[in-house]
Amino acid sequence: MDKHYLTPLFSPTSIVVFAGDPEASESHTPYARAMLAGLRSGGYAGTVTYLDIRMTGTLADLAHSRADLAIIALPADQIAAALEVTGRIRCRAALVLSSGLQAAACAELLGIAKRHGVHLLGPNSLGFQRPHLKLTASAAGDLAAAGPLALVSQSGALTSSILDWAQQNSVGFSAVISLGPNTAVDLPQALDFLANDASTKSILVYMEGIRNARRFMSALRAAAYAKPVVVMKAGRKPAGSKAALTHSAAIVGSDDVFEAALRRAGAVRVRLFTQLFSAAKCLASRYRPVGKRLAIVTNGGGPGVLAADWANEIGLDVASLTEASRAELSSQLPDGAHLQSVIDLGEDALPAHYAAALLACGKDPATDGVLAIYSPKPDHDPTAVARSVAESFRLSGKPVLACWMGDARVKEAREVLNAASIPSFRTPEAAVDAFGNIASFYQNQQLLQQTPPPLSTLLQPDTEGARLLIEGVLAERRKVLTEMESKALLAAFHIPVTRTMLARSANEAMLIAAQLGYPVALKIDSPDISHKSDVQGVALNVLTATQVRDVYNDMLVAVKRAQPSARINGVTIQPMSGKRHGREIYIGLTTDDPFGPVITFGAGGTMIELIADRAMELPPLNQFLARRLIERARVSEMLAEWRGTPAAHLEAVEQILLRVSEMVCALPQLREMDINPIIVDESGAVAVDARVVIEHAPPASHGNGDYGHLAILPYPSAYEREWPMKGGDLYTIRPIQPDDADMLQAFVRSLSQESRYFRFASAMPELPPRMLARYTLIDYDREMALVAVHRKREATADGEFTETEQIIGVSRYITNPDQTSCEFSLVVSDHYKGQGLGSRLMLSIMEFARAKGLSEIDGLVLANNPNMLRLMTGLGYTVHPFPEDPDFKLVSKAL
């Protein structure tokens, strides 16, 4: 049970091959010929058996042919029969090498595999390679060199091209997996396997589309938490939608949303083929940056300026050394060296000068990484400079990248840099791009760490009232809420809105205006008009009753003329905001296929589409994510202090973003929303106008807290419970979160050797970093880990009291590939045994599994662990022998 369920597919110890007569090559398909040639020449050490579907005999006769993996490379009309035999001889995985199979034939094969419980890669796949196993189960070309990179591709043609390119550029792989469009083993499953594969250090992904956003995000987040993931996606789509009913939907394109999803998952996106490898090479290096400040060291002003320009273009900061570092370094450099911004060592720079500059940058707190650029000069040795940089890199604690410009004269120097594992590039822009990928990785990893709950810690919203309002609108067969209804919805979630009243006549408008106080704004109220300004349906700063009457009448005439068929409810009246230093921003919502709701933020007002200032984030949000969302929009600079205007109240904007996140989580009926403009100044923020579009929510979005409409499942805070301990103390059982990593490591270290052995079947004194990451950032959709946390008050030396938290027990389960059962584990602190803690943790994890719709929970218990077996029996589990290992017992319980 410790092995990944796809191990028989991607790390088989035995293989059975269906490819026709192995000696009659003329009968083989092109894919079979390529696969057989690679399989025979690669040197695979496992058992390989060749079968023909025309063989006669019984299944008992074929029992000796049982294997981990079946490779099927047959004509289309023979594939189904071969897959049927594969299932009957109990192979656990199968690969179908084919192309051009129609949808009906693919569906038949998927059905056969599912019926027999076979993990199927293909059909219409080029297969995979595992170079360190010397295994080519592929029609994509010769076996790649072994290396630390894994490649997963949804394009067979691109897989072949990458392998050819990699061979010429000395790039090695731990795995190359070509998925194809019809495979049962899909991208999320491949990512999950590679995240747990010890031979894989970085993962490269080429993708064209996804089937299920929740599963994709879940697997990508888990993989990116364990190791760097670099993604290139085809099929970028321009922003804009013909059916958009709000500004937010009109300015957000699917590629923008994909970018936001990758950022939230902690992955790095590249757009060029060669960037896949340069990014992976940089991210797999031993050092990671803590920011985006790049120091540039060069012996030529032109290349340094090119690098600085491109750094500014992609949002990096060109680092400047501190005054102390400049003073110390200047004494070691030629007289013509310049140390302001770009560090230009001058044309006569020697190896020692580069070494001094790199060491200074490595020690300086104002830099996060260094780019060394070298332009060949007469009578200078580029290789000697490269050796000096390599030595400095060895002593540095920060990433170092190199750009040796030219070709023949610097070839040997590049070899020196590559041997020292220093990423080397031919142009300054490519090197800066590579550092940009590293900086993005760090920033995205911070986003990945966030696991917000569906509700913030702010005042509880009136969720039921909001649902009733939406149900009432849908009952009238309407999808677009009026301004009044939209503002009522916002108010239910405590979003500040301007007081707004509806007038159905000019006289009523004058009375309302007098009651609200001048100046006022008048806006047409119609479910058929998306953008009021476009039909002269907005009037601002109306100062008198006479003006109100005239504007009211003129507005109705203008709107009727512009849109004769529009239904008009009347005209809304509201006071002007009166914020002297007010800035206009917008917060919106759009729904993407397949990622679901996306929260948008940017500059607001009537020119929102022209300005097209948009930053976006997938819900749910917390304060950290809300602040980062604000910072990514261009309007954020306008919110700071500027020319005597005080800084805007950012906390007020953050709170509105958190409230919108709550709305999105609680109300799956929301499809589009504009809160535009929101007027914000130093004292707060208020929503002046709003428009909401709704639809009936799919059934999967309702009930049991699954939040099926979201791509990222919120932190399941509803499962936090307090329980009493013997002696009157309390402990809390709650889902684990990434911030618990230090507490979990301390818990494992505190366990006795026996307890660690019973839990991990190993005496390891602590969790390795990769396992610690895997255990704390989990996918709440397919697994759960509950921690029991005890708070202790301890007296300090000065008589004060501090409260500390410690984990005293952990229960967890992981859903099995059949999606109906799960495997559990349990461990309790030696100091807290006998408190009923184990029973409570198991009952809690079983409750969660039951709520997820799982029907059975299983676990492996060491046969020499009588206390655990007694606990399981007391909880109603049945105990069985475990055929694969007599040292374990299999305990099971129906949920």
Side-chain angles (χ1 to χ4, degrees):
M1 282 192 174
D2 288 339
K3 289 183 178 180
H4 193 276
Y5 66 90
L6 291 182
T7 297
L9 173 61
F10 293 125
S11 297
T13 58
S14 54
I15 297 174
V16 59
V17 178
F18 294 88
D21 185 347
E23 303 302 325
S25 60
E26 69 279 356
S27 67
H28 296 159
T29 67
Y31 280 7
R33 281 194 291 273
M35 179 272 297
L36 289 170
L39 188 61
R40 288 166 177 162
S41 64
Y44 172 65
T47 304
V48 180
T49 306
Y50 296 91
L51 292 182
D52 191 329
I53 60 169
R54 290 169 293 196
M55 293 171 62
T56 58
T58 66
L59 288 176
D61 298 330
L62 294 175
H64 68 282
S65 301
R66 184 179 303 169
D68 285 338
L69 170 66
I71 303 176
I72 302 172
L74 292 168
D77 59 344
Q78 300 176 26
I79 295 175
L83 188 57
E84 191 70 52
V85 173
T86 296
R88 294 191 177 190
I89 63 175
R90 297 184 182 176
C91 290
R92 291 181 289 177
L95 163 65
V96 173
L97 291 171
S98 65
S99 66
L101 285 187
Q102 299 302 307
C106 293
E108 179 188 5
L109 296 177
L110 296 180
I112 294 171
K114 185 175 182 180
R115 187 170 71 250
H116 288 290
V118 172
H119 300 298
L120 176 61
L121 179 61
N124 295 338
S125 164
L126 284 186
F128 68 92
Q129 295 187 4
R130 294 282 274 163
H132 70 288
L133 297 178
K134 299 182 179 180
L135 172 59
T136 300
S138 166
D142 296 336
L143 181 64
L149 305 181
L151 170 68
V152 187
S153 172
Q154 290 183 326
S155 165
L158 198 70
T159 304
S160 299
S161 301
I162 289 176
L163 285 173
D164 186 53
W165 183 92
Q167 190 174 33
Q168 299 302 315
N169 288 272
S170 303
V171 174
F173 295 95
S174 61
V176 178
I177 303 172
S178 175
L179 293 173
N182 305 106
T183 179
V185 173
D186 57 7
L187 179 57
Q189 291 173 297
L191 285 172
D192 191 68
F193 173 81
L194 294 172
N196 293 279
D197 179 44
S199 63
T200 297
K201 306 305 179 190
S202 300
I203 303 172
L204 313 179
V205 179
Y206 171 81
M207 59 181 296
E208 296 175 347
I210 58 173
R211 301 174 189 169
N212 183 300
R214 174 75 72 82
R215 288 185 60 239
F216 170 71
M217 289 297 290
S218 161
L220 183 60
R221 283 163 59 85
Y225 195 56
K227 54 194 68 171
V229 180
V230 183
V231 179
M232 183 168 73
K233 178 183 179 293
R236 298 179 65 192
K237 174 181 167 183
S241 169
K242 295 177 183 176
L245 295 174
T246 62
H247 295 289
S248 298
I251 66 172
V252 174
S254 61
D255 198 61
D256 300 311
V257 179
F258 182 78
E259 184 89 30
L262 285 188
R263 189 167 51 238
R264 184 70 177 273
V268 171
R269 183 182 188 180
V270 296
R271 288 172 170 79
L272 300 177
F273 177 75
T274 52
Q275 287 179 340
L276 267 176
F277 299 97
S278 63
K281 185 175 182 180
C282 292
L283 294 172
S285 66
R286 54 189 173 133
Y287 299 126
R288 303 276 169 81
V290 294
K292 56 180 183 177
R293 301 168 301 176
L294 176 64
I296 300 172
V297 179
T298 179
N299 67 338
V305 172
L306 288 175
D309 284 348
W310 191 243
N312 291 325
E313 184 72 23
I314 65 173
L316 298 175
D317 297 329
V318 177
S320 295
L321 295 178
T322 61
E323 190 173 339
S325 296
R326 285 201 302 270
E328 181 181 349
L329 178 59
S330 62
S331 63
Q332 306 174 58
L333 299 181
D335 291 338
H338 298 282
L339 302 183
Q340 299 297 330
S341 190
V342 173
I343 301 173
D344 186 353
L345 303 177
E347 294 193 357
D348 295 324
L350 299 174
H353 300 143
Y354 268 90
L358 262 66
L359 290 174
C361 293
K363 293 188 295 183
D364 195 289
T367 68
D368 298 310
V370 188
L371 168 59
I373 304 175
Y374 183 83
S375 266
K377 307 293 180 185
D379 301 324
H380 285 69
D381 184 359
T383 305
V385 176
R387 291 195 186 99
S388 178
V389 168
E391 178 63 22
S392 302
F393 170 71
R394 190 178 64 80
L395 302 173
S396 173
K398 296 174 183 175
V400 175
L401 297 86
C403 171
W404 257 233
M405 302 183 71
D407 196 3
R409 290 183 59 192
V410 298
K411 184 178 180 181
E412 184 182 349
R414 288 196 183 117
E415 291 173 356
V416 169
L417 295 169
N418 289 333
S421 299
I422 298 176
S424 175
F425 303 89
R426 292 176 179 268
T427 66
E429 294 88 347
V432 172
D433 268 333
F435 184 79
N437 290 328
I438 304 176
S440 295
F441 175 75
Y442 167 75
Q443 292 164 2
N444 295 353
Q445 286 284 304
Q446 289 183 308
L447 302 183
L448 171 62
Q449 298 277 341
Q450 309 305 310
T451 52
L455 292 178
S456 67
T457 57
L458 303 173
L459 188 63
Q460 195 80 0
D462 181 12
T463 307
E464 192 56 38
R467 288 189 181 127
L468 290 173
L469 191 158
I470 287 175
E471 288 168 6
V473 172
L474 291 173
E476 297 176 11
R477 299 187 177 181
R478 289 192 290 124
K479 291 186 177 181
V480 182
L481 275 63
T482 65
E483 180 186 354
M484 300 281 288
E485 291 166 337
S486 297
K487 286 184 173 178
L489 196 65
L490 299 183
F493 283 80
H494 307 294
I495 295 175
V497 295
T498 53
R499 188 180 176 194
T500 305
M501 301 178 72
L502 180 67
R504 301 182 186 276
S505 68
N507 286 337
E508 192 175 358
M510 289 189 291
L511 289 172
I512 292 172
Q515 182 180 346
L516 294 176
Y518 293 101
V520 295
L522 280 68
K523 300 176 187 177
I524 199 70
D525 189 78
S526 169
D528 302 318
I529 298 174
S530 300
H531 308 311
K532 304 179 184 75
S533 299
D534 295 351
V535 295
Q536 300 179 45
V538 178
L540 305 177
N541 284 310
V542 181
L543 300 172
T544 67
T546 304
Q547 285 183 357
V548 168
R549 180 196 63 198
D550 294 343
V551 167
Y552 184 98
N553 292 327
D554 292 346
M555 185 178 291
L556 290 182
V557 171
V559 171
K560 288 282 188 185
R561 186 187 308 117
Q563 204 163 326
S565 60
R567 295 166 292 172
I568 297 175
N569 300 324
V571 174
T572 60
I573 318 294
Q574 63 188 67
M576 295 296 293
S577 73
K579 290 182 179 287
R580 180 165 162 259
H581 297 132
R583 289 84 139 176
E584 292 187 339
I585 61 172
Y586 89 94
I587 293 174
L589 164 73
T590 185
T591 301
D592 176 76
D593 182 16
F595 287 104
V598 183
I599 296 171
T600 58
F601 174 82
T606 57
M607 300 179 72
I608 175 175
E609 288 168 322
L610 185 62
I611 298 171
D613 178 24
R614 58 181 181 267
M616 61 201 66
E617 189 63 81
L618 299 184
L621 303 182
N622 59 14
Q623 190 169 7
F624 179 89
L625 293 169
R627 178 62 63 96
R628 292 295 179 271
L629 177 58
I630 293 169
E631 290 171 353
R632 285 199 300 274
R634 296 198 308 272
V635 75
S636 63
E637 297 181 19
M638 190 177 72
L639 300 179
E641 185 177 354
W642 186 71
R643 288 191 177 179
T645 302
H649 196 296
L650 278 185
E651 289 77 9
V653 181
E654 289 171 7
Q655 289 200 6
I656 295 179
L657 283 167
L658 293 177
R659 289 302 193 182
V660 169
S661 175
E662 292 180 345
M663 292 176 70
V664 173
C665 292
L667 305 173
Q669 301 91 341
L670 296 179
R671 286 297 173 270
E672 297 176 23
M673 178 166 62
D674 265 349
I675 313 176
N676 178 39
I678 298 170
I679 308 296
V680 57
D681 66 2
E682 68 276 11
S683 63
V686 61
V688 174
D689 202 353
R691 183 176 181 82
V692 178
V693 180
I694 57 175
E695 286 181 359
H696 288 283
S701 301
H702 294 287
N704 77 2
D706 272 349
Y707 299 97
H709 60 300
L710 302 180
I712 299 174
L713 185 67
Y715 176 75
S717 53
Y719 285 85
E720 292 186 3
R721 309 271 172 80
E722 255 193 352
W723 298 96
M725 298 175 71
K726 292 178 180 177
D729 221 346
L730 295 172
Y731 66 92
T732 301
I733 291 182
R734 60 166 175 79
I736 202 165
Q737 50 195 358
D739 290 344
D740 292 328
D742 290 341
M743 273 205 300
L744 183 64
Q745 187 71 281
F747 168 69
V748 172
R749 288 170 179 157
S750 72
L751 293 172
S752 66
Q753 189 171 343
E754 182 185 58
S755 292
R756 283 198 298 269
Y757 181 75
F758 282 158
R759 167 60 183 92
F760 302 108
S762 164
M764 58 181 178
E766 64 180 23
L767 296 175
R770 191 175 64 197
M771 186 180 291
L772 182 63
R774 175 69 186 83
Y775 279 3
T776 50
L777 193 145
I778 67 170
D779 170 18
Y780 301 116
D781 227 15
R782 58 181 176 172
E783 58 187 304
M784 174 51 69
L786 297 176
V787 290
V789 178
H790 182 226
R791 291 183 180 85
K792 290 197 309 183
R793 293 187 75 224
E794 296 177 339
T796 61
D798 55 3
E800 298 292 327
F801 284 91
T802 60
E803 192 172 79
T804 59
E805 286 188 334
Q806 61 174 339
I807 292 176
I808 58 175
V810 184
S811 63
R812 68 173 67 234
Y813 79 74
I814 298 178
T815 305
N816 291 322
D818 60 15
Q819 303 298 311
T820 62
S821 63
C822 61
E823 180 186 352
F824 79 87
S825 62
L826 172 70
V827 60
V828 174
S829 169
D830 297 273
H831 303 296
Y832 288 85
K833 288 180 178 175
Q835 297 269 2
L837 194 57
S839 297
R840 178 52 56 197
L841 280 166
M842 282 305 302
L843 290 171
S844 299
I845 205 76
M846 288 159 56
E847 176 190 353
F848 193 94
R850 195 177 292 116
K852 280 290 183 181
L854 299 175
S855 58
E856 182 178 315
I857 185 167
D858 309 308
L860 286 179
V861 180
L862 281 164
N864 62 345
N865 188 354
N867 292 336
M868 185 71 164
L869 291 171
R870 195 179 307 116
L871 172 64
M872 293 297 106
T873 304
L875 291 172
Y877 283 71
T878 57
V879 181
H880 312 277
F882 183 54
E884 296 181 28
D885 191 337
D887 289 340
F888 288 89
K889 298 291 185 182
L890 177 64
V891 297
S892 304
K893 179 177 175 63
L895 294 171

